[in-house]
Amino acid sequence: MAQQEGAQLLRRVPELDLVMGPQHANRLEDLLEEVFSGNQVVATEPVHIMEDITKPRRDSTMTAWVNVIYGCNERCTYCVVPGVRGVEQSRTPEAIRAEMEQLGSQGYKEVTLLGQNIDAYGRDLPGITPEGRHQNTLTDLLYFVHDVPGIERIRFATSHPRYFTERLIRACAELPKVCEHFHIPFQSGDNEILKAMARGYTHEKYRRIIDTIRRYTPDAAISADAIVGFPGETEAQFENTLKLVEDIGFDQLNTAAYSPRPGTPAALWQNQLSETVKSDRLQRLNHLVATKAMERSQRYRDRIEEILVEDQNPKDPTQVMGRTRSNRLTFFPGNINELNGNLVPVRITEVRPFSLTGEVLS
């Protein structure tokens, strides 16, 4: 909001003192001094990232997010992020490892490496191998941070199909700490809609990526994002999305009906769909998602899964909850004071579309 509106916010809401973009978080003290001096302040101009920028909030004492790349260079026609978060800026591998080492020493067990387009990590960093390959890729980063003491699990998000490589998939299969879970948004199963979205790939390429993942890691969980009701989407094009979901069988799918975002090309197009059509398609997609997720859940029944205990079940204080390596939420009886932060073997006794129940093995 600050990046998008800037000084216009001060004109619309004159009682505001300060409008600040996220990349200025480490300047807050100086900016407040200007406010205390009687000025209205706008700090939204692009700046290069600095390593003393405020660290992300830790909602858990066991799992943490670590930003590895800021901004986005993509120009998806429905998305406002590139315009408000600026160009891609990667942190150095050394800075990322140092933050992970600190987290490991503080007792964190799981880290998710985070970026708006994480597969683009390192494109803006120097370094070429003798073979001519860029040596600061996400794959290289995974190898570089894999042995950080105390960190037992590593995840990463969010991926872009345009940059998802077989080398990255092979690294995930080779590195024991990298979890068997891939979040790769596809947004639409129709090539014409993907072209209108400016996504830069086809549904055939997306399917090849999933096939490659399942060749290296057959049991991997696949999650994604999808948009229905994009401007101009026909019923036949929507059914191509349904077909992709039916064929792949996602473990989880974040779905949304398209909504116009100010400042994006698609918001200005005349071929917008009605809310009734968008709502109908969203309901149909969600029904299929739940059906396929339930089918995928069946493979967990009677299996022993390693669960990282994160919290007490808020609906049942006799249970604790955590996640499998494949990111499936799991509940089982236990004392949170005894089990919090532990990796516990659990036999799965009950499966649902998006969560599991089990019992601890002695």
Side-chain angles (χ1 to χ4, degrees):
M1 172 67 97
Q3 300 296 102
Q4 192 170 13
E5 300 290 337
Q8 295 179 44
L9 273 175
L10 294 185
R11 290 193 289 271
R12 277 178 25 215
V13 191
E15 60 268 29
L16 275 177
D17 299 304
L18 169 65
V19 177
M20 180 188 76
Q23 70 270 51
H24 292 272
N26 56 335
R27 292 184 55 214
L28 181 58
E29 183 178 2
D30 295 336
L31 296 174
L32 287 177
E33 289 293 343
E34 290 187 47
V35 170
F36 296 150
S37 298
N39 299 314
Q40 278 188 315
V41 180
V42 178
T44 56
E45 68 277 7
V47 296
H48 192 272
I49 57 171
M50 292 168 272
E51 279 305 325
D52 64 338
I53 197 165
T54 303
K55 299 300 182 196
R57 185 180 66 185
R58 314 291 184 199
D59 289 330
S60 162
T61 57
M62 297 303 137
T63 65
W65 302 86
V66 173
N67 282 306
V68 304
I69 180 171
Y70 300 91
C72 183
N73 289 359
E74 301 303 304
R75 286 294 181 267
C76 302
T77 55
Y78 55 83
C79 183
V80 74
V81 166
V84 299
R85 293 194 182 175
V87 299
E88 293 164 356
Q89 296 185 62
S90 302
R91 298 175 65 192
T92 66
E94 293 77 16
I96 295 165
R97 183 181 172 98
E99 184 176 348
M100 290 180 63
E101 287 174 343
Q102 182 181 27
L103 290 168
S105 68
Q106 294 171 346
Y108 287 87
K109 298 290 179 62
E110 179 180 296
V111 162
T112 300
L113 305 177
L114 190 63
Q116 190 71 33
N117 177 14
I118 197 165
D119 305 279
Y121 172 79
R123 288 195 297 189
D124 56 323
L125 297 177
I128 302 294
T129 67
E131 300 81 26
R133 181 183 63 78
H134 199 290
Q135 64 182 6
N136 278 316
T137 65
L138 176 61
T139 305
D140 298 305
L141 179 65
L142 289 176
Y143 281 109
F144 183 68
V145 303
H146 184 263
D147 63 346
V148 169
I151 302 300
E152 301 292 339
R153 291 179 173 184
I154 298 174
R155 307 183 189 275
F156 58 90
T158 295
S159 294
H160 194 300
R162 189 190 297 188
Y163 309 105
F164 208 89
T165 66
E166 183 168 351
R167 182 170 175 261
L168 174 60
I169 296 169
R170 186 168 61 247
C172 294
E174 292 175 355
L175 296 172
K177 291 184 182 180
V178 178
C179 293
E180 299 80 14
H181 171 230
F182 297 87
H183 184 76
I184 315 174
F186 66 87
Q187 305 302 6
S188 173
D190 181 84
N191 287 346
E192 287 301 313
I193 295 296
L194 288 171
K195 185 177 180 180
M197 290 177 168
R199 290 291 287 171
Y201 56 87
T202 62
H203 79 84
E204 290 91 350
K205 176 174 180 178
Y206 188 88
R207 291 168 185 269
R208 288 195 297 271
I209 291 171
I210 305 305
D211 288 343
T212 305
I213 289 173
R214 288 178 170 163
R215 189 170 76 245
Y216 279 93
T217 315
D219 198 46
I222 311 292
S223 61
D225 302 338
I227 297 171
V228 301
F230 191 74
E233 182 188 65
T234 65
E235 175 64 22
Q237 289 171 328
F238 168 66
E239 288 176 2
N240 285 337
T241 293
L242 292 180
K243 179 167 173 46
L244 187 143
V245 173
E246 176 72 42
D247 292 347
I248 289 178
F250 292 92
D251 292 78
Q252 187 165 346
L253 186 62
N254 302 321
T255 62
Y258 170 78
S259 59
R261 292 287 185 266
T264 61
L268 302 175
W269 296 348
Q270 298 303 307
N271 54 350
Q272 306 289 329
L273 273 60
S274 71
E275 294 301 319
T276 301
V277 169
K278 290 191 286 189
S279 176
D280 173 69
R281 290 179 183 175
L282 184 62
Q283 289 182 34
R284 289 157 62 194
L285 177 60
N286 285 341
H287 177 75
L288 177 60
V289 167
T291 301
K292 301 304 291 187
M294 188 63 187
E295 292 176 9
R296 292 286 291 165
S297 275
Q298 296 306 316
R299 72 191 195 276
Y300 291 106
R301 193 184 298 275
D302 294 326
R303 273 197 350 198
I304 297 171
E305 290 288 321
E306 177 193 79
I307 309 299
L308 174 59
V309 180
E310 299 176 27
D311 210 339
Q312 189 176 64
N313 182 351
K315 296 181 180 179
D316 184 350
T318 69
Q319 291 186 334
V320 297
M321 58 190 235
R323 294 183 183 272
T324 65
R325 287 176 57 90
S326 58
N327 206 40
R328 191 61 62 102
L329 189 63
T330 305
F331 304 93
F332 58 93
N335 185 325
I336 188 62
N337 297 320
E338 297 174 358
L339 297 177
N340 196 29
N342 290 345
L343 291 165
V344 180
V346 173
R347 184 185 303 281
I348 304 303
T349 57
E350 183 181 347
V351 300
R352 292 173 295 279
F354 305 110
S355 65
L356 309 169
T357 297
E359 55 189 20
V360 181
L361 296 185
S362 58

